[in-house]
Amino acid sequence: MKLVVVSAGLSSPSSTRLLADRLTAATLAHVDAEPEVIELRELATEIAQHFVTGFPPARLAAALDAVAAADGLIAVTPVFAGSYSGLFKSFFDVIDKDALTGKPVLLGATGGTARHSLVTEHALRPLFTYLRALTLPTAVYAASEDWGEDGLARRVTRAGAELARFMAPATADAPLDVDVDTAAAIAPRSLTGAITSVDPADGFEVVPFEQRLAALRVQ
């Protein structure tokens, strides 16, 4: 399997790349995959040329092909003016419209303040939903004060386990080896497909909502 990581950090080193690396490590702790990191700052000129000419230069074409062929994707951007960076958006503007269909994507973002923490929900998630990607429940935002805190480490661990779960769904013969802290991130599925803490194999009764209401009327 192949895990592709897209980092839109502009400096070297950058907090965006650091978050991308941590998310990658958290994912690879649960799934055997070959990682490939794409640094968008190295492709900025090629992305601009693609917009003008309509044809991607060789390095950009290779990056686009890698994303399309990936079994899972980690996409991390710095926050500019309350949203993803222009470089980040430009890269996904030139990608084929069907390249991300059904692909599990772990979203991440970095910023200087916690005030931008919802950028993953109001900016990133709608973008990847439009591209028909399978965005994972846990997105990770890291503000400057989050680094070194247990809260960020827990979110990274949970998000990585979720991506691993969707890259390689667990089976009875090959369950994922996870600890207690990450078990909830890859919990079994309910009858409707939602993640639940109840294993359907153990057996449980689903009571229709109308029946519950009738019981309340009797009381």
Side-chain angles (χ1 to χ4, degrees):
M1 284 188 295
K2 187 163 188 177
L3 173 64
V4 173
V5 184
V6 175
S7 172
L10 297 182
S11 60
S12 181
S14 72
S15 59
T16 301
R17 176 59 188 271
L18 177 58
L19 179 59
D21 287 345
R22 291 194 178 184
L23 292 171
T24 301
T27 303
L28 296 179
H30 301 294
V31 66
D32 184 14
E34 177 187 354
E36 178 179 347
V37 179
I38 298 172
E39 285 276 11
L40 295 187
R41 66 185 182 86
E42 299 175 357
L43 298 173
T45 300
E46 284 90 339
I47 292 172
Q49 289 175 348
H50 189 3
F51 274 112
V52 174
T53 65
F55 298 96
R59 287 201 309 168
L60 177 59
L64 296 174
D65 289 344
V67 170
D71 297 290
L73 177 68
I74 296 174
V76 188
T77 178
V79 175
F80 288 167
S83 187
Y84 37 63
S85 71
L87 179 60
F88 183 87
K89 180 61 163 58
S90 295
F91 178 76
F92 288 101
D93 277 346
V94 299
I95 201 167
D96 184 87
K97 63 182 180 63
D98 297 319
L100 298 183
T101 300
K103 196 183 302 295
V105 179
L106 170 52
L107 305 176
T110 59
T113 171
R115 290 181 298 171
H116 297 304
S117 60
L118 289 179
V119 68
T120 57
E121 308 307 314
H122 70 65
L124 286 171
R125 199 174 296 278
L127 169 63
F128 285 92
T129 298
Y130 175 79
L131 294 171
R132 300 193 298 278
L134 177 63
T135 55
L136 300 180
T138 300
V140 181
Y141 175 81
S144 297
E145 63 266 26
D146 289 331
W147 297 103
E149 297 294 328
D150 291 340
L152 176 60
R154 287 194 298 269
R155 294 195 301 275
V156 167
T157 299
R158 179 183 180 88
E162 286 178 358
L163 180 55
R165 165 67 175 82
F166 282 93
M167 287 179 65
T171 65
D173 296 329
L176 285 173
D177 181 18
V178 298
D179 55 31
V180 174
D181 292 334
T182 59
I186 54 171
R189 299 273 161 171
S190 72
L191 297 179
T192 61
I195 292 178
T196 175
S197 59
V198 180
D199 191 339
D202 292 337
F204 60 92
E205 181 183 3
V206 178
V207 180
F209 184 63
E210 294 82 358
Q211 185 176 334
R212 292 182 179 274
L213 285 179
L216 290 175
R217 294 193 193 100
V218 172
Q219 295 176 359

